[in-house]
Amino acid sequence: MKPWENPTVVGKPLPRVDGNERAGGTARYTMDVRLPRMLHAAILRSPHANAIVKKVDTSEAEKMPGVRAVISMNDPEGKAPWAIHPGTRKPVSQIFDPHCRYQGEEIAAVAAETQQQAWDAVRAIRVEYEVLPHVVDPEEAIKPDAPKVWEEGNQPWPPAKYSRGDVDKGFAEADVVVEHTFRTICQIHTPTELHGSVARWRGNRLQVWDTTQGVFAIQRGLAEWFKLPLADVRVIGPYMGGGFGSKLELGKYTVIAAMLARRTKRPVKLFLTREESFLCVGNRPPHILTVKIGAKKDGTLTAIDYRGLGTFGAYPNWTTTDYQARDLYKCPNVRSEERQVYVNTGTARPFRAPGFPQCNWALEQTMDALAEKLGMDPVELRLRNVPTVSQAEGNKPYSTTGLAECLRRGAEEFGWKEARARAKSDGPVVRGVGVAAGLWGYAGGPPSTVIVKLYPDGSANINMGAADLGTGTKTVMTMIVAEELGVPVENISIEWADTGTTQYTEPSGGSKTVVSDGPPARDAAAEVRKQLFEMASEQLKVPASELALKDGKIIAGDRQVAMGEIRAFAEQQVIVGVGTRKPNPPDQVIHPFAVQFAEVEVNKRTGEMKVLRMLGAHDSGRAMNLLTYRNQVFGGMVMGIGFGATERRIMDASSGRVINANWHDYKLPTALDAPAEVACVPVDPKDESNNLGAKGLGEPATIPSASAVANAFYNATGVRITDAPMSTSNIVAALNAKGNRG
Ligand code: MOS
């Protein structure tokens, strides 16, 4: 099936189908789950960055009022293996490990009648530590005499390397070469909804309500952990308040809740506090990146050299960042080398476009510097180097690429040329504009199954396994089925994210939920329509090919027939359609592309920076819902302002502790940091790689945002902030260094 040519529902700015519940407070989140006889749990965490746990004494805690269970490394279940080394696939730690490698690692857990009793009991646990030297700075951790996070050393594997062409020759041929080194901050996961679970056993069957992006991933993890058949583990994902990648994987808190529930034979609720979540639900790790780009006088790129040092914290995770350096611009000679080191800090986790904003910060600021050195407009420089094939994937063609159109239309609607030429200074207050481009590397695919049911009264039901993280997945899925069945959106209800009652899909992440789960939803609805038309065709004596659906009615020539009037349908009472996700075309590379523009105002005396306006021109294929599309783009931009300007985890090197593990000292961008003026330009190159025409939006929306702001800052001040964040104090320091305080 090809994407619709003239959809009537899909693409419209439809408010969320669950907007009333979410805004009105009736939506039930995991935190809202309350079961009879439910206990409350809390976790004791290591205060040290690196320590051996010599002894855990829980005797006092066990005697505290209301306490029903305490589990630690003293118990057999506390010794079960936890983290798996991605290289060797061997377990590298246990759930309550006697070696704590970062502040916040789990030591013990308590279940009690009330939450306060659980917290009190946690404080009554006595622990003897042997505190070891620690290292929290990646640049310190690679030094030969650095404290060891792991016995085997701080660099678990050789650097990841990539190369094509001849980079040295490429630089020799260049007329202009620029090189800069950049630092990005550690961005901590702090979704509005905290991380937590409610677990209940019925005999040997486990039921868990979980704050998760993927109920089937949690089901699989729990089944392995407790050695249960998959069918005996039911995981339900209620409403969610954001995940951003921090809720893709099974968390220790979920396993601990289930362990405590099994021990006490009572349901257990375990939620992390906000302060705990700052330590242990994951982060976008800090990076040090050096980018060198060579170009001919006319702007043609001749070579890119990309070197990076990253960290995954104390446990292994995936963090290479170089994809855009390989694929965003046409360039025959590219080399990258990335090293990873362990440090004694909380672990990296996937975080909205893992690796991409970091690379973008370095690559796109270097492109900006290159444009200046060439005396060329930064939009023009990018337009000169737009590729038509994916060089990172063996020169396979893109399914579609709207990068050039994003650059052109974005520049036009932003008023780029005029803004660039405008007089910028008003005493110490200066203004500037910047641009950055980006791409995202994933595009969804199998497996995913969706079921659609149609009833004779013209109402329909969608049944899907995917979570709606808050992005509007349910709304878009409803629109797809409404489009296909010609029934009003209000007549469709949706069931989601329950391993007991919905179908398998991969976790919602990678900007691939709509593009993985939407196509089978459309196929399922088309299957329903086919069956309905067969029944109608027989009764109405009209060929199925001449039937249509509109406003919940069957259209046969000038007749309009209610669905319930089709006798065979009324007898059967329901028509069921099953859709399964087909593979993507194997001979194409599917990427969403993004170009964002920013205008900033900087007060050179005070160091204050205001982002005045931003515009995002995005090729994510078809905009499935204009309203949720804009939400994603604007949300992505604000998150990017956080990444570039306001957020950063601050590690105290001497204690190895996070000194801003709370929402007061860790500064998320607020309404005061967001631009007052935002605009969004959807660019649709009519992609046909799936039956929707969509390519995914959630992550590309944040990839170039911080870089666009940084380039605007440079345009305003003539000073480049290579090391994030663009905080007031860093801005003052950078301007002072250049003697440029106005
Ligand atoms: Mo995303 S980082 O795949 O939730």
Side-chain angles (χ1 to χ4, degrees), residues 228-245:
L228 296 170
L230 286 167
D232 286 348
V233 181
R234 181 173 175 191
V235 179
I236 300 169
Y239 278 81
M240 278 185 78
F244 302 104

Side-chain angles (χ1 to χ4, degrees), residues 213 244-245 248 350-354 508-510 699:
Q213 296 174 228
F244 302 104
L248 282 169
F351 195 137
R352 199 173 188 175
S508 293
E699 286 160 304

Side-chain angles (χ1 to χ4, degrees), residues 143-478:
K143 292 180 180 165
D145 54 348
K148 284 196 170 67
V149 183
W150 289 87
E151 301 264 287
E152 72 209 69
N154 291 345
Q155 292 187 67
W157 44 62
K161 288 186 184 181
Y162 168 85
S163 94
R164 69 166 179 257
D166 184 337
V167 170
D168 297 326
K169 191 164 146 268
F171 282 119
E173 287 166 5
D175 296 318
V176 170
V177 175
V178 290
E179 178 173 359
H180 284 285
T181 294
F182 300 87
R183 283 175 174 75
T184 62
I185 52 95
C186 176
Q187 189 176 27
I188 293 181
H189 269 299
T190 62
T192 313
E193 181 196 36
L194 293 164
H195 295 65
S197 317
V198 177
R200 169 171 78 188
W201 290 84
R202 291 236 163 100
N204 265 335
R205 305 184 66 178
L206 174 60
Q207 181 163 336
V208 170
W209 289 260
D210 204 39
T211 56
T212 180
Q213 296 174 228
V215 287
F216 292 92
I218 305 304
Q219 178 199 37
R220 189 164 53 230
L222 289 171
E224 277 171 22
W225 183 271
F226 291 102
K227 305 200 171 28
L228 296 170
L230 286 167
D232 286 348
V233 181
R234 181 173 175 191
V235 179
I236 300 169
Y239 278 81
M240 278 185 78
F244 302 104
S246 69
K247 294 170 181 170
L248 282 169
E249 305 161 35
L250 179 66
K252 265 191 191 175
Y253 51 88
T254 308
V255 174
I256 292 169
M259 278 180 358
L260 289 166
R262 191 170 57 175
R263 175 83 82 85
T264 57
K265 298 190 167 48
R266 290 176 62 177
V268 169
K269 178 188 274 186
L270 174 50
F271 261 83
L272 306 193
T273 64
R274 181 61 64 190
E275 287 73 15
E276 284 179 280
S277 73
F278 271 93
L279 302 177
C280 35
V281 302
N283 55 63
R284 183 193 300 289
H287 271 87
I288 300 156
L289 299 164
T290 300
V291 178
K292 184 174 167 188
I293 307 181
K296 292 287 203 192
K297 278 199 196 85
D298 67 357
T300 311
L301 301 190
T302 59
I304 300 175
D305 188 27
Y306 183 92
R307 274 161 289 147
L309 173 64
T311 176
F312 18 54
Y315 289 91
N317 209 302
W318 169 88
T319 41
T320 54
T321 63
D322 66 336
Y323 195 84
Q324 288 165 107
R326 300 187 204 178
D327 216 38
L328 183 56
Y329 297 116
K330 193 159 58 182
C331 184
N333 310 302
V334 177
R335 179 169 64 199
S336 84
E337 180 173 328
E338 285 187 78
R339 282 181 297 168
Q340 301 289 349
V341 288
Y342 289 119
V343 289
N344 293 110
T345 70
T347 307
R349 282 265 174 96
F351 195 137
R352 199 173 188 175
F356 281 62
Q358 295 99 300
C359 170
N360 199 277
W361 174 261
L363 182 71
E364 286 299 274
Q365 285 208 65
T366 309
M367 284 294 281
D368 199 61
L370 178 65
E372 186 186 38
K373 209 159 175 189
L374 288 165
M376 192 177 275
D377 181 278
V379 172
E380 187 53 37
L381 172 64
R382 288 171 174 83
L383 278 168
R384 294 264 167 115
N385 293 287
V386 169
T388 51
V389 296
S390 173
Q391 302 153 98
E393 316 277 351
N395 294 331
K396 273 193 204 175
Y398 292 128
S399 58
T400 48
T401 172
L403 179 56
E405 204 185 338
C406 288
L407 283 159
R408 282 197 199 97
R409 280 193 50 204
E412 194 179 309
E413 304 217 7
F414 186 76
W416 169 256
K417 286 232 162 73
E418 301 77 5
R420 221 33 206 189
R422 213 157 25 220
K424 300 183 192 106
S425 112
D426 178 12
V429 178
V430 291
R431 282 190 180 195
V433 290
V435 62
L439 66 74
W440 174 237
Y442 301 91
S448 170
T449 299
V450 174
I451 291 178
V452 170
K453 292 184 279 188
L454 179 69
Y455 299 100
D457 66 355
S459 67
N461 185 277
I462 306 170
N463 184 277
M464 66 161 191
D468 184 337
L469 318 188
T471 51
T473 307
K474 283 187 267 179
T475 308
V476 169
M477 296 290 275
T478 302

Side-chain angles (χ1 to χ4, degrees), residues 23 33 63 93 100 168 193 202 318 356 418 446 493 507 511 538 688 707:
V33 174
K63 285 184 250 160
S93 75
C100 291
D168 297 326
E193 181 196 36
R202 291 236 163 100
W318 169 88
F356 281 62
E418 301 77 5
S493 73
S511 307
E538 199 167 311
E688 294 191 350
S707 323

Side-chain angles (χ1 to χ4, degrees), residues 53-54 56 71-83 91-99 106-108 225 227 252 255-256 259 262-263:
V53 181
K54 306 293 265 189
V56 181
I71 299 182
S72 71
M73 69 181 195
N74 302 336
D75 302 279
E77 62 254 63
K79 294 191 170 76
W82 180 249
V92 291
S93 75
Q94 60 187 54
I95 192 144
F96 295 119
D97 202 274
H99 187 167
E106 294 80 354
I107 306 272
W225 183 271
K227 305 200 171 28
K252 265 191 191 175
V255 174
I256 292 169
M259 278 180 358
R262 191 170 57 175
R263 175 83 82 85

